[in-house]
C-alpha cells in the first residue's frame, strides 16, 4: 500500500472519528516510510551511478566492488557544456556513458546531444569500446563530441525549462504550445512579461527550426524583448511585436536576425527615433521586405540632424533597388512640418515599392508630396486630402493602381479624379472605389468620361450608392473594361440588359444577378 494512500485513509478515519482504524494506519504508515528509507539507502550504496542525479538511469543493485568515481565531461555542442557524473560502478561500454551524458545534458541544460565518440587523454573512444579500464581513475576528464542536437518540440522545451527553473507552468501556454508546429510559434496574449519569460527564453533558444514568431500583445518592454530574443534562433524570417510596451531601443534586439523579411512594430510608442534609425535598420536587415509602423507616434516633433540626413543619403546610394520594400507608416499624425521634412529623406529609400500612408494627418499641408513621384508604386489611400487628386495623378504617371476604398468620397471628388485622368497621360489600370456610398449616380456620371478615355480596365465600385439610374453608363463600360465589381449596390439588370453586356468582360453583381461568364484569377475572388 502506498504512502499517499495511507495518508488519505488516516484523514478519512479522523473525519469519521474511527480511532482504532486511524491508529492502525498510522503505525502502518510509519513502517512503510521506514522501509522506503532503508531501500533508498541500500540502492544508493549499490547503484552504478549516483542516485541523486536528476534523470533516469540504470539503477541495478550490485555488490559494491569499487569506490565511487567521478568523470568530468566537456560536451562540444554549439556552446560547450561542462558537467560531472558520479558512478558507483563504471559502465562497461562507452555507449552507456554517452547515453548518460546526453540525458544529463537534457535534464540540466535543456539540450540532448547525439554523441558520436569520446576522447580521453587524446585517445578516441567509439561507442562499442570497453571503458572500464580507461575510466578507472577518479575525476577523469572526458570530451564528448556530437553530431547534432535532438530536436524537441516547443512543448517539451517548455516543460523541461519549467522543471529546471522551478517555475509554475501556465495551462494557457501549455495548450498553445501543444498545438504549434516547429516552424511557427504564435504566443500572442499570453502575458510573457511575467516570470514566464524565463521559461520561454530557452524555448526560443532551442527551437532551431523556428521561422515565424508572434509575440504581440504581451506587455513586453525593451528589456523583456532583449532577454527573450538574445539567444533565439537566428533563422527567423517573420517577427510580430505589435501592441507591446516597446520603444525605439528594441531595434537593437531586432538587428540580431539578418534573415528577417517581415517585421511588425505597430501599436508601440517608438516615436520619431524609429525614422532616424530606419536606414541602419534596412542596411542591417538586407532581406527585409515589409515593415509595419502603424500607430507608432513616428510623427512626433524632432530635430533631424546632419547625421540622420547623411544616413539616408548614404543608404540611397548603396542600396539594392532590385529588392522591393513595403513600408507602412499609416495611422500616424505628423506634428508641425515633420511630414514635409521626412518626405525629403524618404525619397532616398529607393527600395520602396509600396508606401502605405492610410489615415495619416499633418499640422501643415504636404507641400512636397511631389518628391515621392519617383517611387515605383504608391499606396495613397486616405492621404489625398493632404495633397489633392490632381497632384497625385499628375505627379504619378507610372501609377498603375489606385485604392480609394472607404475614403468617404463624394461625387465632387470623383469629378476631380475623372478630370485628372482625362487630362494626364497615366498607366492607371485599376481603380478601387469600394465602400464610398456617397458617390452615387452623380459620381458615375462624372466617371463615365474617364472610363472611356483612360487605360482603366479593372474597376471596383461596389457599395458606392449606384442605382438603376446609372444603367446606361454601366452597360457602356462593359465594352471598355475587362472586370467590374457592382455588388452591394441597388442595381438590378433585367434579362435583356444582361444579354447586352459584353460577354468577354467579367461582371460581378449582387448574388441574385451574377453573370455566368467565368474568368480565372480575378482580383475580386
Amino acid at each position: 500500500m502506498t504512502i499517499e494512500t495511507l495518508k488519505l485513509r488516516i484523514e478519512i478515519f479522523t473525519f469519521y472519528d474511527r480511532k482504532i482504524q486511524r491508529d492502525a494506519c498510522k503505525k502502518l504508515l510509519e513502517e512503510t516510510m521506514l522501509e522506503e528509507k532503508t531501500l533508498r539507502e541500500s540502492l544508493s550504496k549499490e547503484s552504478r551511478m549516483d542516485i541523486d542525479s536528476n534523470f533516469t538511469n540504470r539503477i541495478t543493485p550490485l555488490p559494491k566492488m569499487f569506490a565511487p568515481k567521478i568523470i568530468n565531461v566537456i560536451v562540444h555542442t554549439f556552446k560547450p557544456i561542462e558537467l560531472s557524473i558520479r558512478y558507483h560502478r563504471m559502465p562497461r561500454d562507452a555507449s552507456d556513458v554517452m547515453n548518460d551524458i546526453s540525458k544529463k545534458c537534457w535534464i540540466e541544460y535543456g539540450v540532448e546531444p547525439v554523441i558520436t565518440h569520446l576522447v580521453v587523454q587524446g585517445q578516441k573512444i567509439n561507442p562499442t569500446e570497453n571503458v572500464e579500464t580507461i575510466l578507472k581513475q577518479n575525476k577523469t576528464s572526458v570530451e564528448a563530441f556530437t553530431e547534432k542536437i535532438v530536436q524537441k518540440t516547443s512543448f517539451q522545451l517548455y516543460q523541461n525549462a519549467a522543471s529546471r527553473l522551478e517555475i509554475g507552468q501556465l495551462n494557457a501556454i501549455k495548450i498553445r504550445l501543444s498545438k504549434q508546429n516547429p516552424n511557427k510559434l504564435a504566443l500572442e496574449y499570453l502575458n510573457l512579461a511575467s516570470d514566464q519569460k524565463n521559461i520561454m527564453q530557452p524555448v526560443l533558444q532551442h527551437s532551431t527550426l523556428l521561422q515565424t514568431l508572434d509575440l504581440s500583445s504581451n506587455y513586453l518592454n525593451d528589456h523583456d524583448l532583449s532577454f527573450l530574443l538574445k539567444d533565439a534562433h537566428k533563422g527567423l524570417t517573420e517577427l510580430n511585436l505589435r501592441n507591446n510596451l516597446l520603444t525605439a531601443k528594441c531595434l537593437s534586439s531586432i538587428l540580431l536576425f539578418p534573415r528577417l523579411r517581415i517585421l511588425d512594430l505597430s501599436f508601440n510608442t517608438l516615436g520619431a527615433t524609429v525614422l532616424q534609425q530606419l536606414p541602419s535598420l534596412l542596411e542591417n536587415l538586407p532581406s527585409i521586405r515589409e515593415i509595419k509602423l502603424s500607430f507608432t507616434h513616428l510623427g512626433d516633433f524632432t530635430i533631424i540632424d546632419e547625421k540622420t540626413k547623411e544616413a539616408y543619403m548614404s543608404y540611397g546610394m548603396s542600396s539594392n533597388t532590385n529588392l522591393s520594400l513595403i513600408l507602412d507608416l499609416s495611422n500616424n499624425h505628423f506634428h508641425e512640418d515633420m511630414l514635409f521634412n521626412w518626405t525629403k529623406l524618404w525619397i532616398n529609400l529607393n527600395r520602396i515599392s509600396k508606401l502605405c500612408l492610410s489615415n495619416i494627418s499633418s499640422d501643415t499641408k504636404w507641400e512636397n508630396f511631389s518628391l515621392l513621384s519617383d517611387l515605383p508604386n504608391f499606396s495613397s489611400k486616405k492621404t489625398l486630402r493632404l495633397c489633392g487628386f490632381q497632384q497625385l495623378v499628375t505627379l504619378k504617371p507610372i501609377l498603375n493602381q489606385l485604392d480609394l476604398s472607404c475614403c468617404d468620397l463624394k461625387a465632387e471628388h470623383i469629378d476631380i479624379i475623372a478630370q485628372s485622368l482625362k487630362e494626364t497621360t497615366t498607366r492607371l489600370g485599376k481603380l478601387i472605389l469600394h465602400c464610398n456610398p456617397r458617390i452615387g449616380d452623380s459620381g458615375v456620371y462624372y466617371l463615365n468620361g474617364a472610363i472611356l478615355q483612360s487605360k482603366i480596365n479593372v474597376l471596383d465600385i461596389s457599395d458606392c450608392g449606384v442605382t438603376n439610374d446609372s444603367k446606361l453608363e454601366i452597360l457602356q463600360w462593359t465594352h471598355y473594361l475587362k472586370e467590374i465589381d457592382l455588388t452591394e449596390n441597388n442595381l438590378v439588370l433585367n434579362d435583356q440588359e444582361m444579354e447586352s453586356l459584353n460577354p468577354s468582360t467579367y461582371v460581378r453583381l449582387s448574388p441574385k444577378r451574377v453573370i455566368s461568364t467565368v474568368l480565372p484569377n480575378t482580383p475580386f475572388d
Side-chain angles (χ1 to χ4, degrees):
M1 190 175 298
T2 65
I3 293 176
E4 293 302 322
T5 302
L6 289 171
K7 289 182 178 180
L8 181 60
R9 289 196 173 188
I10 291 172
E11 292 179 6
I12 294 174
F13 292 141
T14 302
F15 179 80
Y16 288 103
D17 197 23
R18 296 183 178 180
K19 296 181 180 180
I20 298 177
Q21 292 90 335
R22 181 197 63 191
D23 294 340
C25 284
K26 281 185 176 182
K27 183 178 180 181
L28 184 57
L29 176 61
E30 292 176 358
E31 294 174 354
T32 304
M33 294 177 67
L34 179 60
E35 181 181 349
E36 182 182 277
K37 181 180 179 181
T38 303
L39 179 60
R40 283 183 177 275
E41 292 176 352
S42 174
L43 289 176
S44 179
K45 292 178 181 179
E46 298 179 358
S47 63
R48 189 193 72 195
M49 191 167 64
D50 197 344
I51 191 71
D52 293 331
S53 298
N54 293 321
F55 59 92
T56 304
N57 50 61
R58 289 168 296 281
I59 304 176
T60 306
L62 292 172
K64 183 176 179 181
M65 300 175 62
F66 306 99
K69 292 185 179 62
I70 295 175
I71 62 171
N72 297 320
V73 185
I74 298 178
V75 185
H76 295 281
T77 63
F78 56 90
K79 184 177 182 181
I81 296 174
E82 296 184 11
L83 52 85
S84 296
I85 300 180
R86 181 182 180 183
Y87 287 105
H88 288 283
R89 180 178 182 276
M90 187 60 61
R92 179 180 181 278
D93 295 331
S95 59
D96 293 333
V97 178
M98 294 178 184
N99 289 335
D100 290 338
I101 294 172
S102 295
K103 290 177 182 178
K104 194 162 188 179
C105 282
W106 169 241
I107 293 300
E108 294 189 1
Y109 294 92
V111 293
E112 184 177 339
V114 177
I115 300 175
T116 56
H117 64 278
L118 304 175
V119 173
V120 179
Q121 297 179 349
Q123 179 183 352
K124 181 179 178 180
I125 303 174
N126 293 315
T128 56
E129 293 186 43
N130 188 311
V131 293
E132 286 183 304
T133 56
I134 299 175
L135 301 178
K136 63 181 179 179
Q137 297 297 325
N138 189 32
K139 296 184 178 180
T140 302
S141 295
V142 177
E143 291 183 274
F145 290 85
T146 64
E147 62 177 355
K148 64 179 181 179
I149 300 296
V150 177
Q151 184 63 43
K152 302 289 186 177
T153 66
S154 56
F155 181 72
Q156 291 173 321
L157 292 170
Y158 178 78
Q159 289 186 310
N160 173 274
S163 176
R164 288 187 293 112
L165 300 173
E166 298 182 349
I167 298 176
Q169 303 178 37
L170 294 183
N171 286 331
I173 297 180
K174 291 170 62 178
I175 293 172
R176 188 77 63 84
L177 293 179
S178 65
K179 301 177 181 178
Q180 303 290 337
N181 64 59
N183 300 322
K184 182 177 181 180
L185 274 181
L187 304 174
E188 69 277 13
Y189 297 102
L190 291 176
N191 191 22
L192 297 182
S194 64
D195 60 354
Q196 292 298 308
K197 67 176 179 290
N198 298 310
I199 308 178
M200 293 308 305
Q201 193 271 337
V203 173
L204 297 180
Q205 178 182 359
H206 301 304
S207 296
T208 55
L209 299 179
L210 186 61
Q211 294 182 349
T212 301
L213 177 61
D214 186 350
L215 295 174
S216 60
S217 303
N218 274 297
Y219 302 103
L220 299 174
N221 58 33
D222 300 327
H223 177 75
D224 296 331
L225 184 67
S226 175
F227 177 78
L228 279 170
L229 298 183
K230 64 179 181 179
D231 294 317
H233 178 51
K234 299 304 182 286
L236 276 181
T237 58
E238 183 173 347
L239 180 60
N240 186 350
L241 299 173
R242 64 187 287 124
N243 195 29
N244 280 295
L245 304 175
L246 303 174
T247 69
K249 294 180 180 179
C250 74
L251 297 180
S252 59
S253 300
I254 296 170
L255 294 179
L256 299 173
F257 305 97
R259 299 181 186 177
L260 208 59
R261 295 176 62 88
I262 299 176
L263 173 64
D264 191 347
L265 288 168
S266 302
F267 294 92
N268 286 288
T269 310
L270 304 179
T273 307
V274 70
L275 289 180
Q276 293 175 326
Q277 298 185 18
L278 187 57
S280 175
L281 183 68
L282 296 175
E283 185 176 350
N284 287 280
L285 300 178
S287 300
I288 197 71
R289 295 293 182 271
E290 183 174 359
I291 302 177
K292 300 178 182 180
L293 298 172
S294 181
F295 290 102
T296 52
H297 299 268
L298 50 81
D300 290 350
F301 179 79
T302 188
I303 301 298
I304 302 178
D305 56 20
E306 291 300 319
K307 183 178 180 181
T308 301
K309 296 177 182 178
E310 292 175 2
Y312 272 88
M313 293 181 64
S314 175
Y315 179 79
M317 291 185 290
S318 61
S319 62
N320 185 353
T321 57
N322 294 326
L323 301 177
S324 62
L325 172 69
I326 298 175
L327 185 60
D328 184 356
L329 307 178
S330 59
N331 297 290
N332 283 290
H333 175 73
F334 290 83
H335 294 268
E336 300 185 18
D337 58 350
M338 294 312 301
L339 181 59
F340 178 88
N341 294 333
W342 283 120
T343 300
K344 292 186 290 185
L345 300 182
W346 290 341
I347 60 174
N348 294 287
L349 304 179
N350 45 23
R351 279 184 54 192
I352 294 181
S353 62
K354 185 175 183 182
L355 183 62
C356 302
L357 298 167
S358 303
N359 282 336
I360 68 166
S361 57
S362 175
D363 290 340
T364 59
K365 190 174 181 180
W366 200 353
E367 297 287 354
N368 60 349
F369 172 79
S370 59
L371 294 179
L372 298 178
S373 60
D374 291 334
L375 296 177
N377 296 296
F378 184 59
S379 174
S380 56
K381 180 178 174 182
K382 297 187 181 181
T383 64
L384 301 182
R385 63 179 178 274
L386 301 176
C387 61
F389 297 113
Q390 182 87 28
Q391 187 182 16
L392 170 72
V393 179
T394 302
L395 297 173
K396 291 294 295 179
I398 62 173
L399 187 72
N400 55 29
Q401 177 176 327
L402 182 59
D403 184 350
L404 298 171
S405 57
C406 305
C407 289
D408 195 27
L409 299 179
K410 304 176 184 177
E412 52 265 35
H413 296 136
I414 301 301
D415 185 22
I416 298 174
I417 293 176
Q419 291 297 328
S420 301
L421 291 174
K422 288 189 290 184
E423 296 172 3
T424 307
T425 302
T426 177
R427 300 178 186 176
L428 189 66
K430 183 176 180 180
L431 179 60
I432 302 174
L433 300 173
H434 168 70
C435 195
N436 285 287
R438 295 207 283 179
I439 290 178
D441 296 317
S442 298
V444 172
Y445 172 79
Y446 291 131
L447 192 60
N448 186 54
I451 296 296
L452 302 183
Q453 298 178 33
S454 68
K455 296 182 180 180
I456 295 176
N457 52 38
V458 177
L459 176 65
D460 182 353
I461 55 171
S462 57
D463 193 15
C464 286
V466 181
T467 70
N468 289 334
D469 294 339
S470 300
K471 281 185 179 182
L472 292 179
E473 288 82 1
I474 299 297
L475 293 174
Q476 187 179 20
W477 290 354
T478 62
H479 295 275
Y480 292 85
L481 300 173
K482 292 182 179 180
E483 301 164 11
I484 181 172
D485 190 341
L486 300 167
T487 57
E488 302 179 59
N489 287 300
N490 190 20
L491 177 67
V492 179
L493 302 181
N494 57 39
D495 293 340
Q496 183 178 0
E497 291 166 339
M498 292 178 66
E499 291 178 359
S500 67
L501 296 174
N502 184 358
S504 63
T505 300
Y506 180 85
V507 182
R508 186 168 184 176
L509 297 167
S510 295
K512 294 182 179 179
R513 290 290 187 181
V514 179
I515 298 299
S516 59
T517 306
V518 178
L519 296 178
N521 301 322
T522 69
F524 308 119
D525 294 324

